[in-house]
Amino acid sequence: MLSFTNIALSLSGFRHSFSRGFVFRQGFRLPGVTSFAKRLVLRRSFVLRFSPALGFVFIPLSKIVSPNNNLFTLAPYFLLDGKQIRPLREPYEFYDQLKAQILAAKERIFLAALYIGSEEKELIETLRIAIRKSSNLKVHILLDCLRATRGGKSHKDQSPADLLAPLVKEFPDQVTVSLYHTPDLKGILKIFLPSRFNEGIGLMHIKAFGFDNNLILSGANLSHNYFNNRQDRYMLFTNVPNLTNYFDDLIKTIATFSYILKPDENSFKLVLPNILDPSSQSKWFKKHASLIMKCFIEKWMKKGDIRAHQLEQFDTIAFPVIQMAPLDIRQDETATLYILDTIAKCSSICYHNKNMYWQVFFTSGYFNFTQKYKERILNSTAKFRLLAASPEANGFYGSKGISKYIPMAYTFIEYQFFNDIIHYGKGHLIKIEEYKRQNWTFHAKGLWCYLNEQQWPSLTIIGSSNYGHRSTERDLEAQVILITTNDSLKKAMHDELNHLRENTIVVTNETFAQVNRKVPYLFRIITKIIKTMF
């Protein structure tokens, strides 16, 4: 079993200079330190930072590349026990946990998602029951304004805002509903872009659900298909007050520059709480909201983890990161690129020294990696498996109107990437797998990293980002980078990944030779023009 120190060495492999640091050379051992790092056999020079109060501090990914460029300078961190974390596999498990956690909550519930399905009356009733049970319970719901106020084609079809308005009216002192509106939908775009199409400009895409001191992170929204036959990822964190406080504060902070849902005689109205209008005052709104979010990050960076002096008692560390490019916040992208760069460097060293590969699984429900991510993948010496939705597993497959062509666009984007793999001679390192399961769609996103061909991953990223242009440049996203030495959690992460791969098929030249994969030339041109909205 690897200690945190071993992971730090595997993930670094470079010599660094730190203030108050000690450099240990190849083959050096530290007998009689703590049981946490009893025996060190170092492959390369590295540094352990020493503090008289803390002793030797061993943290994974803490000393990579340079002392001023690592995860600890990019994001706050939280020390956890692996036994506090459990990946869920099936949509129904996610739904059952949501309801159970809601009913058990006594003080707070927060739900952040793109939207709540207008048919989710059972979920709303579950919230109502919980609120009635405890007068101290506060419920905060954060949704995207554009998506939450869009109803169906029929006047009878409610929007999520219509669904929630009665709950706010019944419990005005206990329920708050906040609706974030992108500042990029403004001017002519605001006037002429029709409903649904305007959502391509930018959304609140964070998925985080808190219940007292418990937390569920996911990429799933709160609607019927996500609870039944739309495969996503879901991770339950139990009794993690500090991490839950972080996400609670994140949602409350976004709410300070979001609309508030108020019930009225016509169902609902939207009220701005003494802030700039995101559409008519977009430029100043962005500056104001950006300052608020940067203060949020700075506050949590200073807090750190109050239990750092008990480091040896923990086996897992979590780095929460956010992405809000319209507000000049690029924490998630920076951290993810940093991890990919580190994987590339360490994998190269490992391969040349021991002829072993690092292995990375990277998945997105919408296969449209940014150029930066593509370059890291194509230039790496690690083995990559990229999981994507087949056209039939795309959420837009079989839909009506122009959106029915969206799976074809993703097919073309995937085909371009496949050709890049062949062109750069990376076919032996990079494979694409497509998820295909009858009557199911695929929405999972994230990353798993296996060090030195280990049988279980030591690192995963879970959250809302699809790693495409809109996740990076348009939407609000939140993720957690999770690193662990807990064997039970590592195996659970491995089993979670295998569960996703049970229904995948490796993509080959024959895949794109199929008749239903032929993309008309005109549509290829259109895809290149509008791919930044995916």
Side-chain angles (χ1 to χ4, degrees), residues 110-162:
F110 60 83
L111 307 174
L114 174 61
Y115 69 99
I116 296 177
S118 57
E119 74 283 356
E120 292 307 321
K121 295 178 174 58
E122 182 182 22
L123 184 64
I124 301 303
E125 184 58 30
T126 304
L127 284 169
R128 185 175 281 109
I129 293 171
I131 296 167
R132 287 172 178 166
K133 283 169 54 179
S134 174
S135 59
N136 295 324
L137 181 61
K138 302 293 184 182
V139 177
H140 193 174
I141 299 172
L142 173 65
L143 306 173
D144 180 75
C145 185
L146 300 176
R147 181 62 184 87
T149 55
R150 168 164 64 89
K153 294 183 178 180
S154 169
H155 70 280
K156 295 181 180 180
D157 294 333
Q158 286 186 313
S159 69
D162 290 315

Side-chain angles (χ1 to χ4, degrees), residues 289-307:
S290 176
L291 180 61
I292 291 174
M293 291 311 306
K294 287 176 180 177
C295 288
F296 165 85
I297 293 174
E298 183 180 0
K299 176 179 69 176
W300 281 96
M301 288 292 290
K302 287 180 179 178
K303 283 187 176 183
D305 194 295
I306 60 173
R307 299 171 299 172

Side-chain angles (χ1 to χ4, degrees), residues 491-528:
K491 184 178 185 304
M493 288 157 47
H494 174 78
D495 291 343
E496 174 203 25
L497 174 60
N498 277 350
H499 176 69
L500 297 178
R501 298 183 66 208
E502 284 176 357
N503 296 284
T504 63
I505 301 172
V506 176
V507 170
T508 64
N509 282 313
E510 288 70 29
T511 304
F512 298 103
Q514 299 173 26
V515 175
N516 64 344
R517 293 299 184 99
K518 299 297 182 182
V519 180
Y521 285 104
L522 177 61
F523 200 79
R524 296 184 184 193
I525 295 172
I526 295 173
T527 299
K528 290 179 180 179

Side-chain angles (χ1 to χ4, degrees), residues 7-27:
I7 290 184
L9 300 181
S10 298
L11 288 173
S12 58
F14 304 99
R15 180 179 179 178
H16 316 299
S17 299
F18 290 84
S19 61
R20 305 181 73 181
F22 293 82
V23 179
F24 296 96
R25 301 284 182 183
Q26 183 175 356

Side-chain angles (χ1 to χ4, degrees), residues 17-77:
S17 299
F18 290 84
S19 61
R20 305 181 73 181
F22 293 82
V23 179
F24 296 96
R25 301 284 182 183
Q26 183 175 356
F28 191 88
R29 294 184 181 181
L30 280 180
V33 179
T34 61
S35 58
F36 179 71
K38 188 175 289 182
R39 192 163 175 246
L40 296 177
V41 180
L42 311 186
R43 293 193 189 94
R44 292 186 174 266
S45 300
F46 79 110
V47 171
L48 300 179
R49 178 174 291 170
F50 180 79
S51 163
L54 304 184
F56 288 98
V57 179
F58 303 119
I59 302 176
L61 288 178
S62 63
K63 314 286 194 290
I64 310 172
V65 183
S66 78
N68 296 317
N69 183 19
N70 56 57
L71 288 178
F72 285 84
T73 65
L74 293 175
Y77 69 94

